[in-house]
């Protein structure tokens, strides 16, 4: 079974530029999560989708971050404009519905450096 | 709000030593508890989980018991190997009874095992 795919793996941009990250979850997983992991900290949820609907985006900085999952499969997270403090690893995870819904499977992450 | 506190690292051990990484939590309701591991250059992987009080999760020689009376979920291994060197994250989900299954993570503990 293929895991969660993310691209790119690394990205370096200057502040005020825009950037987009892509995630393809495990086939059949209805729920998709984006987490931000700042160096030395645990991951923090940015947004959770179930199919193509948003379940939780309470910690998403909506003035600069946006995310979509239009067809209920893959997802894109965008930052525009980027700030220095956005430097982090952006993790995508997915989980099925039902009895195993509490187990999330993580992708390798995208490491963003904002200069 | 819900939170996870885990012991700060780094933890440095010799091969075959006994490992304990402490984790305590604060949550409303009845959370599920997890240990995730992040090996160098890799994504987060689920190590073990427990979904109710007194449950013991185990995997790859690691164990943790869900202790509701002490709100703890300490990770243990009887004999560590160099290959266990990684960052270990304690996490919880579901304590607040909402629709979201977002994971709330501790800050991570770096384990370094020396030959």
């Amino acid at each position: 079974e293929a895991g969660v795919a993310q691209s790119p793996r690394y990205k370096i941009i200057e502040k005020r530029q825009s950037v987009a990250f892509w995630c393809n979850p495990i086939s059949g997983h209805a729920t998709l999560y984006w987490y931000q992991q700042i160096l030395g900290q645990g991951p923090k949820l940015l947004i959770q989708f179930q199919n193509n609907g948003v379940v939780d985006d309470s910690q998403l900085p909506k003035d600069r971050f946006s995310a979509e999952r239009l067809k209920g499969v893959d997802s894109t997270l965008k930052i525009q404009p980027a700030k220095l403090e956005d430097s982090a690893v952006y993790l995508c995870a997915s989980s099925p519905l039902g009895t195993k819904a509490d187990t999330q499977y993580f992708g390798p992450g995208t490491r963003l450096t904002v200069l | 709000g819900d939170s996870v506190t885990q012991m700060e690292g780094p933890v440095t051990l010799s091969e075959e030593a006994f490992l304990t990484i402490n984790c305590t939590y604060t949550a409303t309701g009845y959370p599920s508890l997890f240990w995730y591991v992040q090996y160098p250059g890799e994504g987060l992987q689920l190590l073990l989980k427990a979904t109710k009080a007194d449950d013991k999760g185990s995997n790859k020689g690691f164990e943790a018991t869900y202790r509701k009376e002490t709100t703890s979920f300490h990770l243990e291994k009887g004999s560590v190997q160099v290959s266990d060197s990684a960052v270990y994250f304690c996490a919880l989900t579901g304590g607040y009874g909402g629709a979201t299954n977002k994971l709330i993570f501790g800050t991570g503990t770096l384990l370094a095992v020396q030959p």
Side-chain angles (χ1 to χ4, degrees), chain B:
Chain B
D2 294 355
S3 65
V4 174
T5 302
Q6 60 183 106
M7 64 188 288
E8 291 192 16
V11 174
T12 303
L13 296 173
S14 297
E15 209 164 21
E16 300 183 0
F18 184 86
L19 168 71
T20 300
I21 301 179
N22 290 338
C23 171
T24 57
Y25 68 90
T26 301
T28 55
Y30 305 96
S32 294
L33 302 175
F34 304 81
W35 279 99
Y36 276 83
V37 58
Q38 191 169 37
Y39 297 104
E42 299 185 17
L44 280 166
Q45 302 175 25
L46 177 65
L47 181 60
L48 54 85
K49 71 176 184 181
T51 58
K52 62 183 187 296
D54 300 325
D55 269 2
K56 178 185 286 187
S58 61
N59 186 25
K60 300 182 180 180
F62 291 89
E63 294 183 338
T65 301
Y66 188 141
R67 301 286 189 198
K68 189 169 176 62
E69 64 275 14
T70 55
T71 61
S72 65
F73 193 55
H74 304 321
L75 182 68
E76 296 182 337
K77 186 175 185 182
S79 176
V80 294
Q81 306 299 314
V82 172
S83 56
D84 294 327
S85 298
V87 180
Y88 292 81
F89 290 92
C90 186
L92 68 80
T93 187
Y96 31 81
T100 175
N101 280 330
K102 71 177 181 183
L103 284 164
I104 295 174
F105 286 88
T107 53
T109 301
L110 173 63
L111 170 65
V113 180
Q114 299 176 337

Side-chain angles (χ1 to χ4, degrees), chain A residues 5-14 16-23 34 64-68 75-82 86 90-92 109-114:
Chain A
Q6 290 188 248
S7 67
R9 291 294 307 276
Y10 305 92
K11 189 74 177 178
I12 300 174
I13 62 173
E14 297 195 348
R16 292 188 289 273
Q17 287 187 324
S18 63
V19 64
F21 314 126
W22 176 82
C23 171
W34 284 102
R64 299 185 299 106
F65 286 64
S66 63
E68 58 184 17
S75 175
T76 303
L77 176 69
K78 296 180 181 177
I79 308 175
Q80 182 180 12
D86 298 332
Y90 290 85
L91 298 168
C92 180
T110 297
R111 183 177 297 277
L112 173 67
T113 301
V114 182

Side-chain angles (χ1 to χ4, degrees), chain A residues 59-107:
Chain A
Q59 297 191 83
L60 186 74
K62 298 180 185 64
D63 57 335
R64 299 185 299 106
F65 286 64
S66 63
E68 58 184 17
R69 192 185 186 201
L70 293 176
K71 297 182 179 179
V73 181
D74 57 347
S75 175
T76 303
L77 176 69
K78 296 180 181 177
I79 308 175
Q80 182 180 12
K83 292 185 175 181
L84 296 177
E85 59 261 36
D86 298 332
S87 293
V89 177
Y90 290 85
L91 298 168
C92 180
S94 68
S95 65
L97 295 176
T99 56
K100 295 188 176 181
D102 64 352
T103 300
Q104 297 181 25
Y105 299 83
F106 284 81

